[in-house]
Amino acid sequence: MSSRDSRFDGQFITGVHSTGIYCRPSCPAATPKPANVSFYLTSAAAHEAGLRACKRCLPDAVPGSPDWDIRDDLAARAMRLISDGTVEREGVPGLARRLGYSERHLTRVLVTELGAGPLALARAHRAQTARVLLASTDVPITEVAFAAGFGSVRQFNDTIAVVYERTPTELRRARPARAQPRAQPRAQPLGVGGVGEAGFGVGDGTGIDLLLPARAPFDGVGVLRFLAARGLAGVEQATDARYARTLRLPHGPATVELTLSGTAAAPAVACRARLASLADLAPLVSRVRRLLDLDADSRAIDLALGRDPQLAAGIAATPGMRVPGSVDPEETLFRALIGQQVSVASARTALTRLAAALGDDVYPGAGDSDSSATTGTSGTSATTGTSQRPFIHDPTAAPLTRLFPTAQRIATEGRGVLRGPAARIDAIIGVAEALCSGDLVLSYGQTREDLESRLTALAGIGPWTAGYVALRVLGSPDILLTSDLALLQGAGRLGLPAEARQLARHGAAWAPWRSYAGMHLWRAAGAAATPRTATPPGPDSLNR
């Protein structure tokens, strides 16, 4: 805190009791006396201590804490679900039910571990979402209240006043001059300029642009290449610098485009989205951050893995490598199942065929508005309005026309579309039926052990598939898939053991970052194959 080290922004909160505010560690204000300072893991704990957010450093406009993925305890799992909007949708009883504990026990653990109970943590999350909408959009204030998850306008007004010591109107008026809305020409319907004639559109949908900060260093090109190699025509579009896709959110479909932005010292991802409901903004942001692993503590990971001489050169050449996450746990599971024991290209072909046959259409919107507003503040910008705008300006890209198929569609119609050995088709249909019946539930709030044990209990799912799903869905940092052929090939090319058991023994020293070491091994396999043009092979090229 004294050195104003931005590497720790988002990892803890500095509470200054003499001024009654809380700050990010890098706040430029004068360093307070140690006796006046307390440290908190969450902004909610600072609120509970009677502190308000610093108006100068905006402590909630930073990357999130990496702890919630590193840790697998109850508090971390609760934070993953809270950030995804579970409390707003299901209340504290729903949160407790998903985690498998009573409300009383959950509250006791969260207060002890994080300094605030589930309601206070969710309230802090709602306040942060509301601040972004107030400071960077022209959405009416009453709509902001409900979009952020508040139950009433009065509750919204009271919370904003306590957290930011301003009214919602004052927060909106306080945005910098450069962030004031400006009229735009009438926007073209979404689908013009590369997304296609059947792009996403909902007549009353809202378009919004956000700038999502990432923790430096950030190998954004690498994670987008990983996604591009597995992109499904109609569902996704991707290049080295941009990725777009359709996805389902709790209140309806959405389309999102992600573009690399910022600088090497302060990397960011520009996120343009169109939502059927603004109430889905918080889960959208949470899932995008998970997909790109924006909160990973890259410096700590690279420092630890760089102690291995065989990894050191690759880490120095590509600092900040990320483990791609998931925007939909069920989709990730089906991708893993269909990708078993085949190449990345073969898996992509099969999945594209499945999406084309069983994916729901994403229809054009019913109408456009005459203008849209573009604003920006404190590293965040947004565009709102019912007008529809193109996402990717690439006329060669296939249009975004499909959502990935639901488990229900795969269970009832999948046999007519899936190809391959009967046993594998039976396994895929069996998983789809288990998801439909509720016998199998996938959640960001599960422990790795619970998720893997539930998956391996099903016919046709082995340790590799379960581990890969845990790696992608939970962001588990310490999974090394030593049965993967491409990973073993990469290990051999780096001078590491190329046999599964020996690699597992050697990789024990990489704990707790074995997932990231595995990404370096996959990268090495791809780079050695075709240095200039090849896309790194990955888990879909399984050999087990």
Side-chain angles (χ1 to χ4, degrees):
M1 184 192 75
S2 298
S3 63
R4 298 174 177 80
D5 192 335
S6 61
R7 292 178 299 172
F8 297 94
D9 288 351
Q11 301 204 46
F12 67 88
I13 296 291
T14 300
V16 185
H17 298 284
S18 55
T19 59
I21 65 172
Y22 67 90
C23 304
R24 62 171 78 180
S26 66
C27 182
T31 303
K33 295 180 179 179
N36 295 330
V37 176
S38 295
F39 299 105
Y40 304 96
L41 283 178
T42 64
S43 57
H47 300 164
E48 294 292 281
L51 305 174
R52 64 166 177 82
C54 177
K55 300 174 183 178
R56 185 173 182 182
C57 71
L58 295 176
D60 59 356
V62 297
S65 172
D67 280 354
W68 315 135
D69 288 333
I70 296 172
R71 294 166 50 176
D72 208 21
D73 58 11
L74 177 58
R77 292 186 288 119
M79 286 298 290
R80 295 202 292 261
L81 291 176
I82 289 171
S83 69
D84 196 55
T86 298
V87 174
E88 283 71 31
R89 297 190 298 272
E90 304 176 24
V92 175
L95 176 67
R97 184 170 56 253
R98 283 179 173 267
L99 293 168
Y101 291 91
S102 68
E103 295 178 54
R104 181 177 180 181
H105 179 72
L106 174 62
T107 300
R108 181 168 59 247
V109 169
L110 293 181
V111 170
T112 301
E113 294 285 333
L114 306 180
L119 283 176
L121 290 164
R123 185 182 72 160
H125 191 254
R126 289 195 292 269
Q128 293 171 9
T129 301
R131 184 195 66 78
V132 170
L133 290 171
L134 288 169
S136 56
T137 78
D138 280 333
V139 174
I141 289 178
T142 299
E143 293 183 23
V144 168
F146 295 106
F150 289 95
S152 68
V153 174
R154 179 176 180 178
Q155 182 190 63
F156 165 65
N157 290 333
D158 291 345
T159 298
I160 295 300
V162 169
V163 174
Y164 298 109
E165 208 175 51
R166 295 180 182 180
T167 66
T169 302
E170 289 171 338
L171 269 181
R172 172 156 284 172
R173 289 174 179 168
R175 57 188 172 192
R178 63 180 174 83
Q180 297 301 324
R182 53 187 176 85
Q184 298 289 323
R186 182 180 179 87
Q188 295 177 338
L190 184 65
V192 177
V195 172
E197 296 179 357
F200 169 66
V202 174
D204 58 352
T206 302
I208 186 164
D209 287 355
L210 301 172
L211 194 64
L212 307 179
R215 200 174 300 282
F218 174 52
D219 177 30
V221 172
V223 72
L224 292 190
R225 284 179 177 172
F226 183 98
L227 296 173
R230 295 152 182 81
L232 309 182
V235 177
E236 298 166 287
Q237 298 175 353
T239 68
D240 282 3
R242 186 178 282 119
Y243 172 78
R245 67 160 296 153
T246 63
L247 68 158
R248 288 183 176 82
L249 293 172
H251 295 90
T255 302
V256 63
E257 178 197 7
L258 309 174
T259 308
L260 301 182
S261 184
T263 65
V269 172
C271 173
R272 173 183 292 180
R274 180 161 293 281
L275 306 170
S277 169
L278 268 180
D280 281 331
L281 177 61
L284 172 74
V285 170
S286 173
R287 294 178 193 192
V288 168
R289 298 196 68 85
R290 297 187 65 79
L291 176 68
L292 302 184
D293 199 13
L294 298 182
D295 299 328
D297 190 353
S298 297
R299 294 182 189 272
I301 295 167
D302 288 353
L303 179 63
L305 296 181
R307 297 190 182 105
D308 190 316
Q310 278 73 36
L311 295 180
I315 290 170
T318 313
M321 192 174 289
R322 295 304 208 262
V323 173
S326 167
V327 295
D328 186 323
E330 292 186 7
E331 175 185 327
T332 300
L333 174 56
F334 285 118
R335 284 178 178 252
L337 288 169
I338 293 173
Q340 290 181 127
Q341 298 177 324
V342 298
S343 68
V344 172
S346 296
R348 186 172 60 243
T349 299
L351 286 160
T352 299
R353 183 173 60 246
L354 182 72
L358 303 183
D360 294 330
D361 290 326
V362 187
Y363 297 106
D368 302 326
S369 66
D370 292 332
S371 66
S372 61
T374 300
T375 67
T377 180
S378 303
T380 303
S381 64
T383 299
T384 64
T386 58
S387 61
Q388 296 183 17
R389 304 185 298 150
F391 280 84
I392 293 184
H393 303 282
D394 179 5
T396 66
L400 297 178
T401 59
R402 289 284 189 272
L403 293 160
F404 191 85
T406 62
Q408 181 66 44
R409 290 290 301 275
I410 294 173
T412 57
E413 304 173 53
R415 290 190 184 277
V417 179
L418 295 168
R419 301 289 184 270
R424 187 171 67 173
I425 294 175
D426 289 342
I428 295 169
I429 299 301
V431 167
E433 291 172 345
L435 288 168
C436 293
S437 67
D439 292 339
L440 175 63
V441 177
L442 301 181
S443 166
Y444 298 117
Q446 288 176 280
T447 64
R448 173 187 169 184
E449 180 182 4
D450 178 55
L451 185 146
E452 292 184 347
S453 65
R454 288 175 181 267
L455 290 177
T456 54
L458 299 174
I461 298 184
W464 182 91
T465 303
Y468 177 57
V469 173
L471 182 147
R472 295 289 302 274
V473 171
L474 302 181
S476 297
D478 200 31
I479 296 175
L480 187 63
L481 301 174
T482 54
S483 63
D484 186 89
L485 177 60
L487 188 145
L488 293 173
Q489 291 173 342
R493 286 166 180 152
L494 291 178
L496 292 162
E499 190 275 327
R501 291 184 180 180
Q502 293 179 9
L503 182 61
R505 285 194 293 269
H506 183 94
W510 299 334
W513 308 118
R514 282 175 280 194
S515 298
Y516 294 88
M519 293 303 299
H520 281 281
L521 301 187
W522 280 319
R523 176 72 61 88
T530 348
R532 295 182 61 85
T533 60
T535 303
D540 295 329
S541 57
L542 161 71
N543 177 30
R544 64 173 187 139

